[in-house]
Amino acid sequence: MSWEKLKGILCKIWDNHDFLLTSKICIKTDEQRQELADAIEKRWATNSDEVLAYILASYHDAPFKK
């Protein structure tokens, strides 16, 4: 998934510069972006706090705990 597509999904959750910048810095590959989009679609991450927790878990290669 491209950054632009993921950005559109993230903006629906919280259109905030720092939130989007953190997401862009930590989620670098198409595969990671697709995984995040899937997590949002499956409602594993439904708000900005959960999305950031998911992003940081992915960045640190740790399991996500809601």
Side-chain angles (χ1 to χ4, degrees), residues 16-48:
N16 174 276
H17 173 75
D18 292 334
F19 174 65
L20 296 172
L21 183 60
T22 300
S23 302
K24 187 172 186 176
I25 289 169
C26 292
I27 303 296
K28 296 181 180 185
T29 67
D30 288 340
E31 182 179 315
Q32 290 173 323
R33 288 188 285 267
Q34 185 62 55
E35 286 177 12
L36 177 57
D38 291 344
I40 293 168
E41 181 181 325
K42 292 175 183 175
R43 305 204 43 83
W44 295 344
T46 59
N47 59 49
S48 59

